[in-house]
Amino acid sequence: MFGISFGELLLIGLIALLVLGPERLPGAARTAGLWIGRLKRSFNAIKTEVEREIGADEIRRQLHNEHIMALEKQIKESIVPPAASSATQESAPAPEAASEPAPVASPAAPAPSQAASGDPAPATPQAPIEPQQPSRIP
């Protein structure tokens, strides 16, 4: 784990035996083991807590993004039908005029395509405006 080889552990054990003596060495080893166990448990608890918080933040972010996507879909649906219906209304008179016999054009009467729309220039359908994508927070 820390890159300590068996030889280094043996050297640390010999130094501890010389410093502490044979009477106190087992108690010191037991105490060191308990402290190491407590540190591992506390690090694991902190790691678990952080992972749970990160998961909760991820879920919150995903729900927020889904809410934004639903709102965007509603906006698109509210924008698209009026544009689609106006496009069909503008293009609808043209097929009817083609299926009917052409009227005799008099010099004072406007052309049939101009008479149907009432405008001197033919109207072109406009594409719906696309909403901007919401920014994604990393």
Side-chain angles (χ1 to χ4, degrees), residues 42-61:
S42 65
F43 280 130
N44 284 337
I46 291 170
K47 179 182 170 185
T48 304
E49 181 69 26
V50 168
E51 287 176 353
R52 185 172 46 233
E53 286 294 323
I54 289 173
D57 287 343
E58 181 75 24
I59 291 170
R60 278 190 215 110
R61 187 176 298 124

Side-chain angles (χ1 to χ4, degrees), residues 5-133:
S5 67
F6 180 73
E8 292 170 341
L9 285 174
L10 185 62
L11 180 64
I12 292 170
L14 285 174
I15 293 173
L17 180 63
L18 290 174
V19 171
L20 297 174
E23 297 87 27
R24 294 188 303 185
L25 185 60
R30 188 177 308 117
T31 305
L34 290 173
W35 279 99
I36 290 172
R38 288 179 186 167
L39 284 173
K40 283 184 178 181
R41 282 190 298 274
S42 65
F43 280 130
N44 284 337
I46 291 170
K47 179 182 170 185
T48 304
E49 181 69 26
V50 168
E51 287 176 353
R52 185 172 46 233
E53 286 294 323
I54 289 173
D57 287 343
E58 181 75 24
I59 291 170
R60 278 190 215 110
R61 187 176 298 124
Q62 185 178 7
L63 288 174
H64 180 70
N65 288 342
E66 288 176 3
H67 178 69
I68 289 174
M69 295 301 286
L71 289 175
E72 181 180 340
K73 184 178 179 183
Q74 288 176 350
I75 290 171
K76 280 184 180 180
E77 288 174 355
S78 68
I79 291 174
V80 172
S85 64
S86 66
T88 56
Q89 289 174 356
E90 290 174 2
S91 63
E96 292 173 4
S99 64
E100 295 176 2
V104 177
S106 65
S113 63
Q114 291 176 348
S117 64
D119 294 331
T124 58
Q126 295 180 351
I129 298 172
E130 294 290 328
Q132 293 181 351
Q133 292 290 332

